[in-house]
Amino acid sequence: MQAVTAENAIHASVLLREVLSALAPRPGGRYLDGTLGLAGHASALLEQAGEGAELCGLDRDPQALARARERLVPFGERCHLFALEYASFCAALDELGWDSVDGALLDLGVSSLQLDVAERGFSLHGNGPLDMRMDMGEALMNGRRREVMPYMENARVFVNRADFPTLKRIIEEFGEDPQAGRIARAIIDARAVSPIETTKQLADIVRQAYPPKWRATARNHPATRTFQAIRMAVNDELGQLDRFLDEILDRLAPGGRLAIISFHSLEDRAVKQRFKRWSSDCICPPHLPHCVCGHKAEICLLTKKPVLPSREELILNPRASSAKLRVAEKLPRLPGAIRRRAPA
């Protein structure tokens, strides 16, 4: 396992020790990494698991996948990599002939590789084309979503085509920015003069939309939340998470563990709520006098509260500051029990 130093901290895998402890990889196990990135978690997992362990790794970013493939060369045929969004993990498992996995990991959000390359259009600190597509435009969304929301093609199209209510809702909901209305109006007014093409243009527009007092006292750049919101919308990040959670329990072996690292309150809330349903013996509405759902707990919560980065990790890797890890273990299915999918 590579030691974390100041030189490599920005590319360090978040909560690495905690993830390995949570998944407890073993020889011969089968593991899914749905957000492979630069393969930091994956390589450490295979190294700790030992002989015979296999990995199914997914990433929709072709640049990240190429880097991960190089890093995982020492593990040879034990690694099976796919250019897929993590919500489509069942297709990869089916291709491998795997009915189930012994552990699954998601490390949500944007990667250092994406943030540090201005041409990818994720960062407000450089100047690049307004893009933000995690898959670089190769297969971002299914046909239905393109048909319903054609302005979601990339960040530039979204910013220049979405109407005021949509812009405001996205910035308010995904960015949790109290200035969402002012920002949306500023974007509408600016694009009426000329199209918004670059990250610097958008960052400057949002900054000027903030009240002067807010700009002076803001801890981060005023456009931070807007960039986050647009990225989440363009890449359908919450939709991806919901679809993954809909399917993962059916493909997790009894005793298998699921570990999810989130960086956004909405993502963490979605994971927390789903884990709560899965770990409950009853999911009936609270007003009912007795249980009628017949639901039985399907997981054991291994983290009643999220695991946070240590002080040491935060010193070396400030980007980990908002990371939260939640872990669950699938319970053995009782004889005759019927799998009931909890409502999303």
Side-chain angles (χ1 to χ4, degrees), residues 182 204-222:
R182 293 174 64 103
D204 289 345
I205 290 166
V206 177
R207 184 178 183 280
Q208 290 302 315
Y210 257 59
K213 185 176 180 180
W214 284 56
R215 288 201 302 269
T217 58
R219 293 176 57 189
N220 299 311
H221 192 291

Side-chain angles (χ1 to χ4, degrees), residues 249-250 252-257 298-300 328-333:
L249 266 193
D250 286 333
L252 199 62
R257 294 183 174 183
E298 299 170 275
I299 65 164
C300 171
E329 180 177 304
K330 184 174 179 179
L331 296 171
R333 187 170 298 178

Side-chain angles (χ1 to χ4, degrees), residues 23-335:
L23 292 179
R26 56 175 176 77
R30 288 176 170 174
Y31 299 94
L32 170 69
D33 187 338
T35 50
L36 193 59
L38 299 180
H41 288 113
S43 58
L45 186 150
L46 286 172
E47 184 178 337
Q48 180 166 311
E51 194 65 31
E54 295 182 75
L55 173 85
C56 175
L58 315 179
D59 207 295
R60 55 177 166 175
D61 186 329
Q63 290 184 343
L65 196 63
R67 295 273 294 274
R69 197 179 302 278
E70 293 177 2
R71 186 168 188 174
L72 294 171
V73 164
F75 301 101
E77 296 182 356
R78 294 165 57 193
C79 294
H80 314 279
L81 307 187
F82 295 85
L84 283 175
E85 55 192 21
Y86 69 81
S88 300
F89 76 96
C90 286
L93 298 189
D94 291 343
E95 185 171 330
L96 292 173
W98 292 8
D99 293 328
S100 62
V101 294
D102 299 295
L105 169 67
L106 292 183
D107 181 4
L108 303 173
V110 65
S111 72
S112 294
L113 176 64
Q114 293 158 342
L115 281 173
D116 294 339
V117 179
E119 290 74 20
R120 297 295 299 274
F122 286 93
S123 176
L124 55 84
H125 299 295
N127 189 26
L130 197 55
D131 195 318
M132 300 193 193
R133 291 172 295 180
M134 288 183 176
D135 71 345
M136 302 179 71
E138 294 189 3
L140 180 59
M141 293 167 286
N142 59 46
R144 181 179 180 277
R145 190 162 183 271
R146 282 194 185 279
E147 181 181 338
V148 174
M149 294 185 289
Y151 50 74
M152 288 298 193
E153 180 181 343
N154 59 34
R156 179 185 59 79
V157 174
F158 171 71
V159 165
N160 286 287
R161 291 189 188 175
D163 57 22
F164 175 82
T166 301
L167 281 168
K168 181 177 183 294
R169 177 180 61 82
I170 292 296
I171 296 169
E172 190 172 58
E173 181 179 342
F174 295 167
E176 300 178 303
D177 196 316
Q179 298 295 330
R182 293 174 64 103
I183 294 167
R185 176 54 57 196
I187 289 173
I188 296 287
D189 292 344
R191 77 189 193 192
V193 177
S194 63
I196 304 168
E197 302 283 350
T198 70
T199 54
K200 186 177 186 304
Q201 281 180 279
L202 180 60
D204 289 345
I205 290 166
V206 177
R207 184 178 183 280
Q208 290 302 315
Y210 257 59
K213 185 176 180 180
W214 284 56
R215 288 201 302 269
T217 58
R219 293 176 57 189
N220 299 311
H221 192 291
T224 300
R225 293 180 176 183
T226 297
F227 271 61
Q228 172 184 272
I230 294 172
R231 185 206 80 217
M232 292 181 70
V234 166
N235 293 286
D236 188 27
E237 293 180 38
L238 289 178
Q240 283 276 316
L241 180 58
D242 282 340
R243 293 192 293 277
F244 175 86
L245 293 172
D246 284 344
E247 304 289 345
I248 187 59
L249 266 193
D250 286 333
R251 304 304 289 263
L252 199 62
R257 294 183 174 183
L258 171 61
I260 300 180
I261 301 171
S262 63
F263 292 82
H264 190 284
S265 60
L266 294 179
E267 291 171 335
D268 180 61
R269 191 177 308 145
V271 175
K272 177 183 178 180
Q273 290 175 349
R274 197 69 70 101
F275 278 16
K276 182 179 180 180
R277 292 192 190 102
W278 289 345
S279 62
S280 300
D281 278 334
C282 173
I283 56 173
C284 289
H287 67 271
L288 294 181
H290 56 84
C291 177
V292 297
C293 69
H295 184 266
K296 297 298 180 184
E298 299 170 275
I299 65 164
C300 171
L301 287 176
L302 301 185
T303 51
K304 292 185 178 181
K305 292 185 177 180
V307 177
L308 307 179
S310 66
R311 184 177 180 182
E312 176 189 9
E313 179 172 1
L314 291 177
I315 291 172
L316 294 173
N317 185 12
R319 286 182 180 175
S321 61
S322 57
K324 294 181 179 180
L325 169 66
R326 295 187 185 271
V327 187
E329 180 177 304
K330 184 174 179 179
L331 296 171
R333 187 170 298 178
L334 297 175

